[in-house]
Amino acid sequence: MIHLPRDHDPMNNAQLIGRYGARKMELPSAVEETELLFQDIYNRDYTPSFQNSPTLSLFKTFKKLIKGMFVEDVSNRTLPPTRTVMDENGMPCPEWLPTLNREYDRLFCEITKTVNVKDFGAKGDGVTDDTAAFEKAIGTGSVHVVVPAGVYMTKGIKLPSWTSFSGEGKGITVIKLHNEAPIGRRLITNSRYIKGNHHIAVRYMTLDWNVERLGDIPKTAAGNNQSSCLTFAHVTYGWVQNVEAINPGLHCFDVSSAYYTYLGDGTRARYGSRYIWLDNLNGYGFGDDGITTHHSEDLFISNSHMCDPSGRSHKLGFSNSNGIEVDDGSRNVWLLNNSTARCFGGIEIKAHHNSAAAANVHIIGHLSVNDNRAYNFRHIGHHQAADTESLTAFNIKATNLIAAAPIRTSLYEGSQQRALVVSGYKNVVINHFTAIGDSDYDYNRGPVLAVQYRARNVVLNNVHVTGFKTAGVDMKVFGGDNAADIVRIGQFTADASAEKTLVVGSGVTDIELQNVYAVRGLTREKVTL
């Protein structure tokens, strides 16, 4: 079975995904196939039923006005779906990427000087506090700051607009949080959260949050969007490239709004980030998530590898620590050729019950190895029959996903391993999905893939499942009073896998199968309802 170490080079991900994917198709064709499948299902109407809002008292009207200062009301049901396009090299990318590339060129046109942080007194000896030297070198921006090889101790770095901040490479230039830095300190962030910043690039370095300085404390994060290695909060036009982040109290990389808000489904925080590209990143030891996004839009995350969380921002045994998490209020997010290993979730697309769900998310190529839930799509608190229906959990397109040997984890005790879980989301297409089990592992008779908890309008196409011999079923569509429904399963093969290939629960009224097969030895049997 494949193993991805902490120093795995994520620039090899595309090759690995191509090697382990069971169904071979040229990537542009596979992406276009996904787009066509999505368009085929998108026009169905799944607008939740609403009750008329009661007349508000003067106090409640005032309260609503105050609330509007911090959040905006949204409905992702009416959010237009976004499309993937191909760049000049035939690689998938967001349709807005040319805009971001032009702004990258503009950043370096606006920079008026290049400085070396050592010329401002930085030592880089792993002992001296270099905070003041960085502040002097960065100044008010319009600057390219060069950080040579060394270990630079700092109590935190804030970058203004029009700033390029560049080292000599991962493990060569190390920015490390000082032993006296408080628990809530962000190692690198932008300088203005409410007014916002723009045109910031961070490249070629390792960011060490130095969690060891805290000693043996129960939790390593201070709350909200603090305690991370790198936080972009209310940044427009940002780039993080060829950066490693290790042992943060919360996240390795957080693309966020000025603050997280939890004021109800259908609300997004104001002051979010937009047009951000994260590329060739490594991260491990994170207290919560490796890469995460909140209340931000038009984001591109590519060729990155996140693994081995500590989970220490959560209560022991209840750590929802994901390699990549597209979280509350995120929109128009692209993930391309990333990898995750030994996390609770490989990729989780979600929201808390009291925030808008992530929407318009594209995954193109991902390799998950030994994650508990390789792919987990859910809107927490909107799953049960008695729960309100999610107003915002819509539109996921996924192509070329690999789930290799999902396993149980001490991060979240009692959580059963799954290759895929879709809960509460509507308009979901998963095309070219490969699940590879360990024939010697005890999968505890559970399902390998699950569509459940009021998920609607879900398509699984070109799916290959193999090696889950101790699982109870390869594919389960859950029924009951919160049944999933309107599910299409096509070109699905279970090869030397679970005892049962497909189980459909009671209450599922609309399901279609096309070319679903179970292969056992030399026997290939078609599966029907």
Side-chain angles (χ1 to χ4, degrees):
M1 188 62 66
I2 186 174
H3 174 73
L4 298 180
R6 292 178 174 182
D7 61 353
H8 165 66
D9 182 357
M11 299 306 292
N12 294 326
N13 282 344
Q15 180 182 1
L16 290 171
I17 292 164
R19 180 189 307 170
Y20 286 95
R23 298 181 184 270
K24 311 298 183 185
M25 178 181 279
E26 291 294 326
L27 188 56
S29 299
V31 171
E32 181 60 25
E33 184 179 48
T34 301
E35 293 285 352
L36 292 173
L37 290 167
F38 185 87
Q39 289 302 319
D40 188 50
I41 66 168
Y42 174 69
N43 292 325
R44 298 177 186 271
D45 184 11
Y46 296 105
T47 306
S49 58
F50 299 99
Q51 296 180 349
N52 291 328
S53 300
T55 302
L56 298 178
S57 66
L58 182 62
F59 172 75
K60 289 185 176 179
T61 300
F62 178 73
K63 185 178 178 181
K64 184 176 181 181
L65 289 173
I66 296 298
K67 177 181 174 182
M69 296 172 61
F70 298 95
V71 298
E72 60 177 344
D73 292 327
V74 296
S75 172
N76 290 341
R77 176 64 187 89
T78 58
L79 179 69
T82 46
R83 282 186 61 90
T84 298
V85 300
M86 299 296 154
D87 66 14
E88 62 273 12
N89 299 314
M91 288 298 294
C93 68
E95 51 197 349
W96 44 262
L97 188 61
T99 297
L100 188 58
N101 289 337
R102 286 192 296 271
E103 295 300 326
Y104 187 76
D105 294 338
R106 187 178 170 208
L107 165 62
F108 288 94
C109 289
E110 293 289 336
I111 285 174
T112 59
K113 59 182 176 180
T114 297
V115 300
N116 188 313
V117 72
K118 287 202 168 184
D119 292 337
F120 294 83
K123 301 299 182 184
D125 57 9
V127 177
T128 304
D129 183 356
D130 290 324
T131 305
F134 279 111
E135 291 175 352
K136 293 175 184 177
I138 294 165
T140 59
S142 297
V143 62
H144 173 58
V145 180
V146 175
V147 188
V151 178
Y152 297 83
M153 305 299 294
T154 174
K155 294 176 182 175
I157 295 171
K158 294 184 178 181
L159 302 177
S161 302
W162 302 114
T163 298
S164 168
F165 190 75
S166 186
E168 293 187 7
K170 299 174 185 175
I172 300 171
T173 295
V174 179
I175 311 295
K176 187 173 183 178
L177 206 53
H178 193 278
N179 289 336
E180 296 178 2
I183 188 173
R185 189 58 46 87
R186 306 166 185 92
L187 180 50
I188 293 182
T189 189
N190 54 297
S191 61
R192 303 190 306 184
Y193 279 22
I194 300 301
K195 289 186 176 180
N197 292 104
H198 55 88
H199 295 89
I200 299 175
V202 179
R203 303 177 297 167
Y204 306 112
M205 62 184 62
T206 288
L207 307 179
D208 183 351
W209 196 76
N210 189 18
V211 72
E212 297 84 359
R213 77 188 192 282
L214 301 178
D216 188 21
I217 63 174
K219 293 186 179 180
T220 57
N224 212 272
N225 63 2
Q226 304 179 87
S227 311
S228 294
C229 282
L230 184 144
T231 301
F232 276 175
H234 198 189
V235 173
T236 304
Y237 305 124
W239 301 263
V240 185
Q241 301 167 322
N242 301 286
V243 175
E244 176 187 50
I246 62 178
N247 297 329
L250 192 64
H251 308 306
C252 289
F253 305 93
D254 185 5
V255 180
S256 175
S257 52
Y259 40 75
Y260 302 161
T261 59
Y262 304 99
L263 295 175
D265 182 22
T267 65
R268 297 175 73 231
R270 297 189 184 276
Y271 312 120
S273 296
R274 191 176 188 191
Y275 296 126
I276 309 294
W277 188 357
L278 312 181
D279 184 60
N280 192 7
L281 308 182
N282 286 75
Y284 63 85
F286 35 96
D288 192 8
D289 302 315
I291 298 173
T292 189
T293 69
H294 298 84
H295 305 288
S296 299
E297 59 189 303
D298 298 328
L299 313 176
F300 189 22
I301 302 167
S302 59
N303 306 306
S304 295
H305 176 61
M306 300 291 131
C307 67
D308 299 315
S310 73
R312 292 177 60 194
S313 71
H314 298 271
K315 182 180 177 181
L316 183 64
F318 294 90
S319 179
N320 182 44
S321 289
N322 303 298
I324 300 175
E325 182 178 274
V326 184
D327 205 351
D328 303 323
S330 301
R331 296 168 130 185
N332 309 338
V333 181
W334 275 258
L335 311 177
L336 175 65
N337 291 336
N338 300 297
S339 59
T340 52
R342 300 171 295 279
C343 303
F344 169 70
I347 292 179
E348 183 165 80
I349 302 171
K350 71 171 254 283
H352 296 87
H353 72 281
N354 49 5
S355 186
N360 275 0
V361 181
H362 305 248
I363 312 171
I364 303 171
H366 188 89
L367 176 58
S368 164
V369 179
N370 295 146
D371 296 316
N372 179 257
R373 299 281 172 103
Y375 305 94
N376 197 16
F377 310 152
R378 59 181 179 150
H379 194 175
I380 298 168
H382 300 275
H383 294 168
Q384 304 304 320
D387 296 336
T388 57
E389 187 172 0
S390 173
L391 306 177
T392 48
F394 288 90
N395 300 355
I396 299 174
K397 305 176 189 179
T399 308
N400 281 6
L401 308 187
I402 314 293
I407 59 174
R408 289 178 290 277
T409 175
S410 60
L411 289 166
Y412 213 113
E413 295 178 358
S415 177
Q416 294 300 308
Q417 68 290 315
R418 301 281 187 270
L420 171 70
V421 180
V422 181
S423 305
Y425 262 87
K426 301 174 178 68
N427 304 340
V428 179
V429 173
I430 300 166
N431 188 29
H432 294 276
F433 186 97
T434 302
I436 305 169
D438 181 347
S439 59
D440 296 325
Y441 189 80
D442 181 9
Y443 290 103
N444 201 28
R445 313 303 299 169
V448 180
L449 290 78
V451 177
Q452 61 187 27
Y453 299 162
R454 303 169 82 177
R456 296 286 188 277
N457 217 21
V458 178
V459 175
L460 291 94
N461 192 60
N462 289 314
V463 177
H464 189 269
V465 183
T466 186
F468 292 87
K469 292 185 176 181
T470 58
V473 58
D474 290 307
M475 174 77 223
K476 184 171 182 179
V477 181
F478 280 73
D481 58 4
N482 59 340
D485 215 351
I486 307 118
V487 179
R488 307 290 180 259
I489 303 173
Q491 323 312 320
F492 185 110
T493 300
D495 186 355
S497 200
E499 178 182 346
K500 296 180 180 180
T501 299
L502 174 66
V503 169
V504 178
S506 62
V508 180
T509 61
D510 188 347
I511 183 168
E512 294 181 5
L513 308 183
Q514 184 177 25
N515 297 328
V516 178
Y517 291 95
V519 178
R520 307 183 192 282
L522 299 177
T523 303
R524 186 171 185 260
E525 180 180 352
K526 190 169 186 177
V527 177
T528 59
L529 293 174

